[in-house]
Amino acid sequence: MSELSPIEVPNAPETPAPVAIEELSDSRSGIQAEIRSLEEALTQRQQALEDTRERLAFAETWRKRLDAEHQGLQRRLQTAGLDLTEDYANLLRRRLDRLERQHLADNLTTTIKSQLEAARMEQFRLEEFDALLQPSAIANDRLAQRRADLLAKLGTAVTAHLEVLNDYFVSVNATQELIIAYQSLLRQRLFWLPSTDPIRVQSFSELAAAVAWLLSPTRWYELLQSTPKALRTHPVPLVILALLLAALVTTRARTRRALEATGETIGNVARDHARHTFAGLGYSIALALMGTVALAFLALLVSQGGEFGAALSTGLRNAAFLFFLLSMVYQVSRSGGLGERHFKWRADTLKAIRRGMPRLMFVMVPAAMLTPLTEAAIGESFRDSLGRVIFALASIALSLFAHRVLKPRLAREVEGRAPLMPRLIYLAVVATPLVLMAFSLYGYHYTAVQLEGTLFLTTCWVAIVALLYYLALRALSVRERRMALERLREKRAAQQELAAAREAADASGEGLPTTLDMPEMDLQAISSQSKALLRILAGALTAVGLWLLWANVFPAFRFLNEITLWTVAPLTEGGQALVVTLEDLLLSLLFGLATILAARNLPGTLEVALLSRMKLAPGTGYAITTLVTYVIIIVGVVVTFGALGAQWSKLQWLVAALGVGLGFGLQEIVANFVSGIIILFERPIRVGDTVTVGGTTGTVARIRIRATTLIDWDRKEQIVPNKTFVTQDLTNWTLSDSITRVIVRVGVAYGSDIDTVQSLLNDVATANSRVVKDPPPSVFCVALADSSINFEMRVFVKSMLDIMPLSHEVYAAITRTLREAGIQIPFPQRDIHIITDTQSTDS
């Protein structure tokens, strides 16, 4: 298989300076200066144009050669299948290394974009200059004509440069996509091919040579001599790392005590807070950083030691990252740490982690440091000997650590007959590193390294997600305990208010509902829904991480997008058909499941995380959670069917026909549904309000999608469609103020002193405890009737339940007071005149 020789990757051309002209001059000296500036700008622009054309041609040539190489390799691999030799696999690996070295500059596309923007601005300025030129002045002046010609030439050059820059930008993007596709093809094929011979007796002699090469005193002495150069090259980072390391060492004991102190308030509702857990996380990070900073300091210190120093520096950086991950697991599991005091993890598992982690780090950190030495060009010849031994030791260490951590759980779950699932999990986790070690020794070293590295990163990612999950769960549990205390206090106050209201209802002869379906969730529902939603989010985050980690390693994730299930015709003639693959189907199922779970578990999470912290009016939280649930369902349906190829523009006639059908057949149901949404937005009624609608008066007990439930004074439940509250007259007695007015009418006999009656009635109103002081009561003489002088006593009460008791009390007091004052309450009197017929009497 032929190899392309290394090629210098094309860079972006330099940007020519803009024309140094702010405004066109009318003087001859000014025009002459502008001509010189234009000539200089034209020369630079033409040079930049030629330079960009050369780079474009070079980039196009390189892209075509790379594309031809990619297409040829693809055809050969399809023909050969998996029946490839070890030498062929080595050639593929070298080609992958070359492609990774010959990547495009990271800022190349950004630089080209900035040049395009500068060229467009220059073109705009030249067009403005050209518009300001006076043709009459140009015709009579050779200098002005010269300036106009230069402006035209410069404008043409800028336009041509813009076109070439656009082509260059397109070519660079196409090249970048081709490199990515090429690398993906090589990685997928290398995954299934042996990278070396199986282990044999000759490998031990190669291992001895590799150890002698690694421990060569000359090599390490040269590395030591390069440290002054590293100090001169990276003085600021080395000083910062040294100071940070010194601070971490001196404060280590204090940080340990502070970490243990964060768990002292756990369980105390009054003093416990989620910030203590986050503070403990910060202290754990600080404790894990000491070794990480030390390894990073050494990585910079040996970075200038030639090729060996560069590879060792890479290994030290990898070791620093690995040390931080493993040390964080150890610090979280330490005695008195987050796992024991804050998260309440099992003591036997934490003990196993504390005992096994130092041994694992003793093997894994040196392995991470030495592996890049065997992968670099300087130690590539020792990859199959020293590299495989390092990999085997790391695999054994991982297997032993998994055995120590999982064994207590397996022993805990095995009671009598051993359950199958724990044993399968134990065997899979413990055996996987050993199986991969066998693959490496058999010759599939590249495949084993990729798989074990990805599996290790997967485990780390799962651990990070688990840590975030328990942090969120801890914050929610603290908030739930505080809410339980607040709810207990509120419940006691509500019981007192309910007892008073029930006493008033009994006195008024009206029936009061025993309970109301208030839009507040019980704490058990809140806890279960919050935990369920947290598990969903943790699962989704884990799945995203797994997809990103494994997509470029394991080809099984790639073929899903190659299995076509069906195609959707294009919207326009000549358009491209939409292909729905197995991957799209799985994504749609995932979206649908996520929609269902989110819609079910969102209310409790909103209640804990947000709504409980806000001072909302009664019913507002219910309206918010209901509307958010509707939005989640609608968005979930659109996204789910969109992943399956549903094009909503094609469904417009179906939607229109469905709308007509709904208009005729389900008109009332849709009207009630829309009215329910209007009620939630506008909130003319709330749960607990006393309302009168359609001749029915009662207390709002439930608000649902189609109808609202009222409990009237007879304790009967009236199911009222939501449309009634929107389209008919509605009286809400308690929407903004529960105070209502009561008019008591009284008549006294003629001859009574009006002022005395007014004063007596006013005293009766003021003396009653049910009458509020603001607004104050008032008494008026309103009419001179046939047999009485009529008065009206207008008073205000706190609640409708006080109306009947107040009427009874006031009428009794009025009767008693007027009788004591000698004032009569008349009854209707009529004079009857009898007319007799005299003629009939005489006869």
Side-chain angles (χ1 to χ4, degrees):
M1 182 174 60
S2 61
E3 286 284 341
L4 289 176
S5 58
I7 305 174
E8 180 183 357
V9 179
N11 296 320
E14 296 182 359
T15 305
V19 179
I21 301 176
E22 296 297 333
E23 294 181 359
L24 293 178
S25 175
D26 294 332
S27 63
R28 298 185 63 82
S29 59
I31 294 175
Q32 290 175 350
E34 291 171 357
I35 289 175
R36 289 192 295 271
S37 297
L38 289 172
E39 289 176 344
E40 182 179 357
L42 179 60
T43 302
Q44 293 179 357
R45 181 65 63 174
Q46 290 174 344
Q47 181 62 39
L49 176 60
E50 292 300 323
D51 188 22
T52 306
R53 283 174 176 167
E54 292 178 1
R55 295 177 184 274
L56 173 61
F58 183 80
E60 281 293 308
T61 302
W62 185 40
R63 184 181 64 82
K64 291 178 181 178
R65 293 176 62 189
L66 197 64
D67 185 50
E69 180 183 326
H70 174 242
Q71 296 295 335
L73 178 61
Q74 201 168 25
R75 287 191 298 268
R76 289 193 295 271
L77 291 178
Q78 289 177 353
T79 303
L82 295 178
D83 188 17
L84 298 175
T85 63
E86 175 192 340
D87 294 336
Y88 206 96
N90 291 331
L91 290 175
L92 291 179
R93 189 170 62 250
R94 284 199 295 270
R95 179 166 292 189
L96 179 60
D97 294 339
R98 173 173 59 83
L99 286 175
E100 290 176 348
R101 291 193 304 269
Q102 290 182 335
H103 63 84
L104 296 173
D106 295 334
N107 60 344
L108 181 57
T109 56
T110 304
T111 304
I112 298 175
K113 283 183 179 180
S114 64
Q115 291 180 356
L116 282 168
E117 184 64 23
R120 293 189 186 101
M121 293 294 297
E122 184 75 356
Q123 187 183 45
F124 181 79
R125 292 181 62 210
L126 293 175
E127 290 173 353
E128 290 294 315
F129 289 155
D130 185 67
L132 295 175
L133 295 177
Q134 299 294 333
S136 58
I138 295 175
N140 300 323
D141 192 339
R142 294 179 58 188
L143 287 177
Q145 182 65 44
R146 174 63 176 165
R147 181 179 62 181
D149 294 340
L150 288 173
L151 282 172
K153 292 181 180 179
L154 184 57
T156 303
V158 171
T159 302
H161 195 200
L162 270 173
E163 295 176 356
V164 177
L165 282 173
N166 274 316
D167 295 340
Y168 190 34
F169 182 76
V170 172
S171 177
V172 167
N173 281 336
T175 304
Q176 184 64 43
E177 294 176 359
L178 178 60
I179 291 176
I180 294 174
Y182 200 173
Q183 291 176 345
S184 177
L185 174 65
L186 291 172
R187 289 193 183 98
Q188 292 180 23
R189 188 50 60 114
L190 282 172
F191 190 83
W192 301 106
L193 296 177
S195 58
T196 185
D197 294 328
I199 197 74
R200 54 189 187 276
V201 178
Q202 185 181 356
S203 302
F204 293 98
S205 60
E206 295 176 354
L207 177 61
V211 172
W213 168 80
L214 181 63
L215 300 179
S216 172
T218 305
R219 192 175 306 280
W220 291 96
Y221 180 72
E222 293 175 354
L223 191 64
L224 183 63
Q225 286 182 328
S226 67
T227 53
K229 183 180 179 181
L231 292 173
R232 293 191 301 268
T233 307
H234 308 290
V236 176
L238 285 171
V239 171
I240 293 175
L241 289 175
L243 294 176
L244 180 60
L245 181 60
L248 291 173
V249 171
T250 55
T251 61
R252 188 172 181 82
R254 191 186 313 167
T255 304
R256 287 179 179 174
R257 292 193 297 269
L259 174 60
E260 295 175 357
T262 59
E264 295 177 354
T265 59
I266 303 298
N268 190 329
V269 180
R271 298 175 56 196
D272 196 4
H273 200 280
R275 65 171 175 267
H276 299 317
T277 302
F278 288 98
L281 177 63
Y283 294 136
S284 300
I285 293 175
L287 291 173
L289 275 177
M290 189 176 71
T292 305
V293 173
L295 291 171
F297 180 84
L298 292 176
L300 281 179
L301 204 61
V302 302
S303 60
Q304 301 300 316
E307 192 174 358
F308 182 82
L312 183 61
S313 177
T314 302
L316 286 169
R317 289 197 299 269
N318 296 342
F321 176 72
L322 178 63
F323 183 90
F324 177 76
L325 293 178
L326 299 180
S327 182
M328 272 299 299
V329 175
Y330 178 79
Q331 297 301 333
V332 171
S333 305
R334 67 178 301 126
S335 179
L338 291 177
E340 180 179 328
R341 302 292 297 276
H342 296 255
F343 301 150
K344 306 299 181 183
W345 290 346
R346 292 188 177 273
D348 50 0
T349 302
L350 294 176
K351 183 178 179 180
I353 293 176
R354 288 195 297 268
R355 294 182 60 185
M357 185 57 68
R359 303 172 187 175
L360 180 65
M361 295 173 66
F362 180 77
V363 177
M364 295 298 296
V365 173
M369 182 178 64
L370 297 177
T371 298
L373 288 173
T374 63
E375 298 293 334
I378 190 173
E380 186 177 4
S381 57
F382 305 114
R383 177 189 301 170
D384 297 338
S385 54
L386 181 61
R388 285 202 279 185
V389 170
I390 293 173
F391 180 79
L393 293 175
S395 300
I396 294 173
L398 288 172
S399 181
L400 290 175
F401 178 76
H403 165 71
R404 294 190 182 100
V405 173
L406 295 180
K407 185 179 179 180
R409 178 180 177 182
L410 183 64
R412 187 170 59 243
E413 294 186 359
V414 174
E415 296 178 359
R417 184 179 179 182
L420 180 61
M421 186 56 64
R423 284 190 173 275
L424 290 178
I425 294 176
Y426 170 81
L427 291 175
V429 174
V430 173
T432 297
L434 300 179
V435 172
L436 294 177
M437 180 187 70
F439 282 166
S440 173
L441 297 177
Y442 188 69
Y444 289 84
H445 181 62
Y446 176 83
T447 303
V449 169
Q450 295 297 316
L451 273 177
E452 187 163 291
T454 308
L455 283 172
F456 182 78
L457 292 177
T458 300
T459 305
C460 294
W461 176 250
V462 172
I464 292 173
V465 174
L467 180 61
L468 295 177
Y469 170 77
Y470 278 99
L471 286 173
L473 197 63
R474 162 85 176 128
L476 283 174
S477 64
V478 172
R479 182 60 186 168
E480 286 171 2
R481 287 196 294 270
R482 289 180 177 271
M483 286 179 60
L485 183 60
E486 294 173 1
R487 290 286 174 87
L488 182 60
R489 295 171 180 171
E490 293 174 359
K491 185 177 180 180
R492 291 175 179 173
Q495 287 175 348
Q496 295 175 358
E497 294 179 2
L498 183 60
R502 188 170 296 155
E503 181 181 354
D506 294 340
S508 64
E510 308 288 1
L512 184 69
T514 56
T515 58
L516 298 177
D517 188 10
M518 295 297 289
E520 294 180 354
M521 304 183 64
D522 61 277
L523 293 179
Q524 185 177 1
I526 290 173
S527 177
S528 61
Q529 291 184 7
S530 301
K531 291 178 181 178
L533 191 60
L534 278 179
R535 286 193 293 268
I536 293 170
L537 294 176
L541 194 59
T542 302
V544 170
L546 293 179
W547 184 272
L548 295 176
L549 288 172
W550 286 90
N552 292 327
V553 176
F554 199 66
F557 292 102
R558 297 290 187 181
F559 82 93
L560 294 176
N561 202 33
E562 299 175 359
I563 301 176
T564 302
L565 300 179
W566 62 81
T567 58
V568 180
L571 295 175
T572 58
E573 186 176 355
Q576 187 175 3
L578 179 63
V579 178
V580 180
T581 63
L582 181 58
E583 180 183 1
D584 298 328
L585 178 60
L586 296 178
L587 286 176
S588 66
L589 294 177
L590 180 62
F591 290 146
L593 179 62
T595 301
I596 295 173
L597 295 177
R600 286 183 177 179
N601 298 287
L602 182 66
T605 305
L606 279 179
E607 178 74 18
V608 173
L610 181 62
L611 301 181
S612 62
R613 303 174 183 270
M614 303 170 64
K615 301 298 182 181
L616 300 176
T620 302
Y622 176 79
I624 293 174
T625 54
T626 302
L627 293 175
V628 172
T629 302
Y630 291 165
V631 171
I632 289 176
I633 292 174
I634 293 173
V635 173
V637 170
V638 172
V639 173
T640 300
F641 284 96
L644 294 177
Q647 301 178 5
W648 300 105
S649 57
K650 284 188 172 184
L651 301 178
Q652 56 186 350
W653 299 111
L654 178 61
V655 173
L658 184 61
V660 174
L662 290 175
F664 286 102
L666 302 176
Q667 181 179 5
E668 292 298 323
I669 295 178
V670 174
N672 289 320
F673 174 76
V674 175
S675 299
I677 295 178
I678 294 174
I679 290 173
L680 291 175
F681 269 110
E682 189 177 335
R683 298 181 62 244
I685 60 173
R686 303 162 304 185
V687 173
D689 285 350
T690 302
V691 299
T692 299
V693 60
T696 301
T697 300
T699 303
V700 179
R702 287 180 295 274
I703 301 176
R704 292 293 182 258
I705 294 177
R706 188 195 66 84
T708 297
T709 302
L710 299 183
I711 299 180
D712 62 9
W713 304 130
D714 297 329
R715 300 285 295 274
K716 294 182 297 184
E717 292 188 357
Q718 303 287 337
I719 309 300
V720 182
N722 289 330
K723 186 181 72 171
T724 307
F725 295 95
V726 177
T727 59
Q728 295 187 15
D729 294 337
L730 169 68
T731 300
N732 192 331
W733 300 89
T734 57
L735 179 61
S736 58
D737 191 358
S738 62
I739 295 178
T740 185
R741 189 178 70 172
V742 179
I743 298 178
V744 179
R745 295 178 174 85
V746 181
V748 297
Y750 277 100
S752 303
D753 188 354
I754 293 178
D755 294 335
T756 301
V757 174
Q758 184 183 22
S759 176
L760 292 174
L761 295 179
N762 191 49
D763 291 342
V764 170
T766 306
N768 194 290
S769 60
R770 300 181 188 274
V771 178
V772 301
K773 306 301 180 183
D774 185 22
S778 57
V779 178
F780 300 98
C781 179
V782 296
L784 300 176
D786 294 339
S787 58
S788 65
I789 302 173
N790 293 341
F791 287 82
E792 283 188 1
M793 177 194 296
R794 300 181 178 183
V795 297
F796 292 86
V797 293
K798 297 179 181 179
S799 171
M800 288 187 66
L801 296 176
D802 289 326
I803 293 178
M804 293 306 295
L806 175 74
S807 299
H808 170 77
E809 295 170 1
V810 168
Y811 279 125
I814 289 173
T815 303
R816 183 174 57 253
T817 301
L818 292 181
R819 184 176 62 249
E820 292 174 355
I823 299 174
Q824 295 183 356
I825 300 175
F827 52 84
Q829 299 179 4
R830 296 290 183 268
D831 293 334
I832 301 175
H833 301 275
I834 301 175
I835 303 174
T836 61
D837 189 352
T838 57
Q839 294 179 356
S840 62
T841 303
D842 293 340
S843 61

